[in-house]
Amino acid sequence: MKSPQVSISDIAREFGVSPSTVSRALKNHPEISEATCRRIQEYARKVNYRPNVIALGLKQQKSFTIGVVIPEIVHHFFSSVISGIEEVAYGQGYRVIICQSNEDYHREVINVAALTDHRVDGILLSISKSTRDHAHLRRLVEQEIPVVFMDRASPEIDSDRVLTNDFEGARMVVSHLLKTGRRNIIHLAGPQHLCVGRERYRGYVEALQEHGVEEREEWVLKCDTPARVKQLGSKLLSLITEADAIFAVNDFTAVAAMRLLQDHGYEVPGQIAVAGFGDDPIASVVHPALTTVEQRGYDIGKEAARMLIQRLSGEPAKEFRTKVFPAFLKVRASG
Amino acid sequence: MKSPQVSISDIAREFGVSPSTVSRALKNHPEISEATCRRIQEYARKVNYRPNVIALGLKQQKSFTIGVVIPEIVHHFFSSVISGIEEVAYGQGYRVIICQSNEDYHREVINVAALTDHRVDGILLSISKSTRDHAHLRRLVEQEIPVVFMDRASPEIDSDRVLTNDFEGARMVVSHLLKTGRRNIIHLAGPQHLCVGRERYRGYVEALQEHGVEEREEWVLKCDTPARVKQLGSKLLSLITEADAIFAVNDFTAVAAMRLLQDHGYEVPGQIAVAGFGDDPIASVVHPALTTVEQRGYDIGKEAARMLIQRLSGEPAKEFRTKVFPAFLKVRASG
DNA sequence: GTTTTTTCCGCAAACGTTTGCGTATAGAAT
DNA sequence: ATTCTATACGCAAACGTTTGCGGAAAAAAC
């Protein structure tokens, strides 16, 4: 009971006509008689004819595929982004193929190459933490493959980008800490070569200035993972004796820091307030619930896919656009 | 400064030879002179020639693509599965294209059709909660497209499958509750038409029997989402007056139930023990940390991809295999 | 009855690649 | 000088589809 995929030629043979006739009949081409159209379409339905997208791609020099490169699928933010991309892409007849860089530069390069090998029509990308050389991205531009950056954009490549207002988000949450009386705020910062890390740091600084609090360099630590929190454990614990709040560049780090403090007898938010960034599901579930900044991955993914597909739709190359989504302060129990 | 993709014919023109010569030269075919091979390969490297995978696919009737259909990417378990799939697939020269059903039957059908339209070589699939008709899967078998089920398998389709030992996991965790003195255990159960839900329920029953505890029908509730917990709120609260433990079919539901109880003054685990299934990141982060069963999505994804690719490698169709991964009890503070 | 128009369809090329087979050139053997 | 044998390469078909152009047959106009 097998029924392999049937091709246009198969149908043509069945009716003793040429493949071109079948091709046209299926599209109700005016030069094909109504009767023929009907007969062929009926038969095509019956045998469940489905056009071969690969052959179509070869012919039209288009794969109807968009490639996605992200650091890690397992992070809620990125899986939301993908979910958003998927939603609009499939709606427009595009499929999406996904690669992870695992925050590894080399992997990212390989992935981009694999995607271009597969002749994707465009690429949606979030650069990895370890990416400093952007030659592979420049190559994309040369090959005229449209790219839309999501969240983590390359500063040196001119392209479309969809971002969160990281600066404002960070400013808001730090401002909130300051308003509730905190003055000595440690910042667990992300890599400063990524706009995300830089912008959040800038927001932190801005909030301090607005409130007339002097920035203390030794209170900004390069620390953006739970593992790094563990590594820096004693340093953090010694710093904390003078501090009354922590603002971490992401929720995982914030939670890890909170755990560390709690394990050492500190009370959150009693003695130390803690805030994160991203509004990961864990934020609302830890104890105390984490004050953080909501970042809508789903919307970012949707918008990025929309921008890319629009550019693929052959409209005369417009200027590159940057869409910035607002960030939302989520005040919870931790600070 | 553009450099569009170069084809074999482009290279052929450059050297005044035929495309066939170039094709062979690139593969070090013995019938091509060494000198020619060298010159052509050198040039190909210089202009960064990359074979057109689409054309290759057309020719070889193979797309080197595997399709994945899962309920929801944003769930940690499924994103881990994808991560595993991705890991082995890319290593073997396959790319993966991902679809979500969002637990919707109709979406699942559409997705499967989209994947076959794109002539994927095989499909990795977890059926959605609302899927009861399996005709779309039967069609895959008819079209001779290999399928490997992951976690949620179709009982009526004979195919490869990669599962977690849900029965044993559930039995272990319920057994653990019983050993710590709980006797009146409510089960928040998943859909019984899915093997996952059924097996976990069976494990629950088995543990009760082993400990000589009688099963009470009214203590098994069809409830597998936080939303459903909220819906059933009052019913649950009335039941709980007689119970001393809850075993939920997944961690989200367990956490939601725990929250509900805590909000109503119950102490976990003092008065009521709570256990979940899956070991989602939130399990270790809630307060008290959730006792649960670890389920290794990453391994499942890797194994499923391996099984599929092996079947695609043209080895004479062996018997279908079912690989069952063990489940691991994670005892934490909640019970 | 001839010419023109219309209707309906087929041929062939193209997309990029692979591959069986045919063949020109050169050198070697006779 | 003729025949043979390698050597090194080209031709063409195929994968499934689309599309410009050409053309046979039928209908319409004269």
Side-chain angles (χ1 to χ4, degrees):
Chain A
M1 224 244 275
K2 39 179 140 174
S3 59
Q5 301 273 21
V6 29
S7 76
I8 278 199
S9 323
D10 294 331
I11 302 184
R13 213 171 303 120
E14 178 74 20
F15 286 90
V17 299
S18 81
S20 11
T21 302
V22 176
S23 173
R24 287 192 254 248
L26 291 172
K27 313 193 145 44
N28 281 318
H29 193 284
E31 285 189 4
I32 303 296
S33 75
E34 256 184 65
T36 312
C37 279
R38 206 174 26 74
R39 272 164 42 222
I40 289 183
Q41 287 178 14
E42 244 167 38
Y43 182 76
R45 281 210 68 241
K46 203 186 94 197
V47 299
N48 191 33
Y49 166 75
R50 313 247 57 193
N52 185 325
V53 185
I54 299 196
L56 254 170
L58 222 213
K59 177 75 179 154
Q60 311 185 190
Q61 295 293 79
K62 210 175 161 199
S63 63
F64 298 98
T65 302
I66 77 189
V68 178
V69 184
I70 47 153
E72 298 193 74
I73 283 190
V74 292
H75 287 178
H76 185 264
F77 173 72
F78 287 117
S79 58
S80 307
V81 168
I82 292 184
S83 210
I85 293 172
E86 232 247 340
E87 179 72 21
V88 346
Y90 273 82
Q92 308 266 5
Y94 283 84
R95 56 180 165 165
V96 355
I97 94 181
I98 295 176
C99 312
Q100 300 183 72
S101 63
N102 287 315
E103 301 285 12
D104 178 55
Y105 163 68
H106 199 241
R107 248 331 244 277
E108 183 175 300
V109 176
I110 306 257
N111 283 333
V112 168
L115 290 176
T116 59
D117 278 4
H118 286 286
R119 300 300 193 272
V120 294
D121 296 331
I123 289 182
L124 262 24
L125 187 139
S126 253
I127 63 182
S128 92
K129 277 186 201 167
S130 56
T131 300
R132 285 155 185 288
D133 183 351
H134 293 194
H136 58 304
L137 304 177
R138 246 176 280 119
R139 224 172 296 137
L140 287 179
V141 176
E142 285 169 21
Q143 291 178 159
E144 298 181 304
I145 298 176
V147 182
V148 178
F149 290 109
M150 306 176 297
D151 196 56
R152 304 193 193 162
S154 163
E156 53 179 274
I157 308 285
D158 198 21
S159 187
D160 289 319
R161 43 195 77 194
V162 182
L163 311 172
T164 305
N165 197 333
D166 292 299
F167 171 76
E168 184 58 18
R171 199 197 56 75
M172 281 193 302
V173 69
V174 174
S175 200
H176 164 76
L177 292 174
L178 290 159
K179 276 182 205 150
T180 55
R182 315 287 171 166
R183 279 295 169 271
N184 303 307
I185 307 178
I186 292 176
H187 178 36
L188 304 181
Q192 295 301 300
H193 66 281
L194 287 184
C195 51
V196 170
R198 214 171 39 235
E199 287 295 292
R200 293 182 193 171
Y201 167 67
R202 275 188 49 226
Y204 161 79
V205 172
E206 172 75 11
L208 292 182
Q209 285 179 352
E210 278 176 11
H211 288 258
V213 176
E214 204 181 340
E215 184 194 349
R216 287 172 56 176
E217 207 179 300
E218 69 272 25
W219 282 4
V220 177
L221 271 60
K222 191 178 163 310
C223 170
D224 64 342
T225 61
R228 180 82 175 139
V229 168
K230 209 166 168 187
Q231 233 177 57
L232 289 177
S234 52
K235 176 158 186 192
L236 238 154
L237 286 168
S238 75
L239 276 179
I240 212 71
T241 56
E242 290 188 67
D244 53 14
I246 292 184
F247 164 52
V249 71
N250 62 48
D251 287 345
F252 312 102
T253 309
V255 168
M258 191 160 83
R259 276 272 185 282
L260 178 76
L261 298 183
Q262 288 171 329
D263 288 350
H264 286 78
Y266 286 91
E267 242 210 84
V268 179
Q271 295 169 273
I272 311 277
V274 177
F277 201 113
D279 198 20
D280 189 274
I282 62 165
S284 53
V285 118
V286 287
H287 189 80
L290 189 69
T291 290
T292 185
V293 177
E294 187 187 350
Q295 203 192 182
R296 303 196 175 158
Y298 186 73
D299 292 345
I300 292 183
K302 274 173 75 168
E303 180 62 22
R306 262 193 233 109
M307 283 173 74
L308 181 61
I309 290 177
Q310 196 190 30
R311 203 166 278 284
L312 294 179
S313 304
E315 279 150 59
K318 280 180 251 166
E319 297 251 307
F320 290 118
R321 293 197 310 133
T322 297
K323 165 99 184 181
V324 179
F325 278 92
F328 301 91
L329 181 59
K330 290 275 176 183
V331 177
R332 298 209 181 90
S334 74
Chain B
M1 223 246 274
K2 40 178 138 173
S3 59
Q5 301 272 22
V6 29
S7 76
I8 278 201
S9 323
D10 294 332
I11 302 183
R13 211 171 305 121
E14 178 75 19
F15 285 90
V17 299
S18 80
S20 10
T21 303
V22 176
S23 172
R24 288 192 252 251
L26 290 172
K27 315 194 141 43
N28 280 318
H29 193 284
E31 284 189 5
I32 303 297
S33 76
E34 254 184 66
T36 311
C37 279
R38 205 176 25 73
R39 274 163 40 222
I40 288 183
Q41 288 178 14
E42 243 167 37
Y43 182 76
R45 282 210 68 241
K46 205 186 92 197
V47 299
N48 192 35
Y49 165 75
R50 314 246 58 194
N52 185 325
V53 185
I54 299 197
L56 253 169
L58 223 212
K59 178 77 179 150
Q60 311 186 191
Q61 296 292 79
K62 214 179 157 196
S63 63
F64 298 99
T65 303
I66 78 191
V68 178
V69 183
I70 47 153
E72 296 195 76
I73 286 188
V74 292
H75 286 177
H76 186 264
F77 173 72
F78 287 118
S79 58
S80 305
V81 168
I82 292 183
S83 210
I85 294 172
E86 232 248 339
E87 179 72 21
V88 347
Y90 273 81
Q92 309 266 5
Y94 284 84
R95 58 181 162 164
V96 357
I97 94 183
I98 295 175
C99 312
Q100 300 183 72
S101 63
N102 287 314
E103 302 285 13
D104 178 55
Y105 163 68
H106 199 240
R107 243 339 240 276
E108 184 176 298
V109 176
I110 306 256
N111 283 334
V112 168
L115 291 176
T116 59
D117 278 4
H118 285 287
R119 300 300 193 273
V120 293
D121 296 331
I123 289 183
L124 263 22
L125 187 140
S126 256
I127 63 182
S128 92
K129 276 186 204 168
S130 56
T131 299
R132 286 157 184 286
D133 183 351
H134 293 195
H136 57 304
L137 304 177
R138 246 175 280 122
R139 222 172 298 138
L140 287 180
V141 176
E142 284 169 21
Q143 290 177 161
E144 298 181 304
I145 298 176
V147 182
V148 178
F149 290 108
M150 305 176 300
D151 197 53
R152 303 194 194 161
S154 163
E156 53 179 276
I157 309 284
D158 199 23
S159 186
D160 289 319
R161 42 194 77 194
V162 182
L163 311 172
T164 306
N165 197 332
D166 290 298
F167 171 76
E168 184 59 17
R171 199 196 57 76
M172 281 193 303
V173 70
V174 174
S175 199
H176 164 76
L177 292 175
L178 288 160
K179 276 182 205 149
T180 56
R182 314 288 172 168
R183 279 294 168 273
N184 303 307
I185 307 177
I186 292 175
H187 178 36
L188 304 180
Q192 294 301 301
H193 65 282
L194 287 185
C195 52
V196 169
R198 214 170 38 235
E199 288 295 293
R200 291 182 194 171
Y201 167 66
R202 274 190 49 225
Y204 161 79
V205 172
E206 170 76 12
L208 291 182
Q209 284 179 351
E210 277 176 12
H211 289 258
V213 176
E214 204 182 339
E215 184 193 348
R216 287 173 53 176
E217 208 178 299
E218 71 272 25
W219 282 5
V220 178
L221 271 58
K222 191 177 165 309
C223 171
D224 65 341
T225 62
R228 180 82 175 138
V229 168
K230 213 167 165 186
Q231 235 177 56
L232 290 177
S234 52
K235 175 158 187 190
L236 237 154
L237 286 168
S238 75
L239 275 180
I240 211 72
T241 55
E242 291 187 67
D244 54 13
I246 292 182
F247 164 53
V249 70
N250 63 48
D251 288 346
F252 312 104
T253 308
V255 167
M258 190 160 83
R259 275 272 187 280
L260 178 76
L261 299 184
Q262 288 171 330
D263 288 351
H264 286 79
Y266 287 89
E267 243 210 83
V268 178
Q271 296 170 269
I272 311 277
V274 177
F277 201 113
D279 199 20
D280 189 274
I282 62 164
S284 53
V285 117
V286 286
H287 190 79
L290 188 69
T291 290
T292 186
V293 178
E294 188 187 349
Q295 201 190 183
R296 302 196 175 156
Y298 186 74
D299 291 344
I300 292 183
K302 275 173 76 168
E303 181 62 22
R306 262 193 232 109
M307 282 173 76
L308 181 62
I309 292 177
Q310 196 191 29
R311 203 165 278 284
L312 294 178
S313 305
E315 279 151 59
K318 280 181 252 167
E319 297 251 308
F320 289 119
R321 292 198 311 132
T322 295
K323 164 99 183 181
V324 179
F325 278 93
F328 301 91
L329 180 60
K330 290 276 177 182
V331 177
R332 297 212 180 89
S334 73

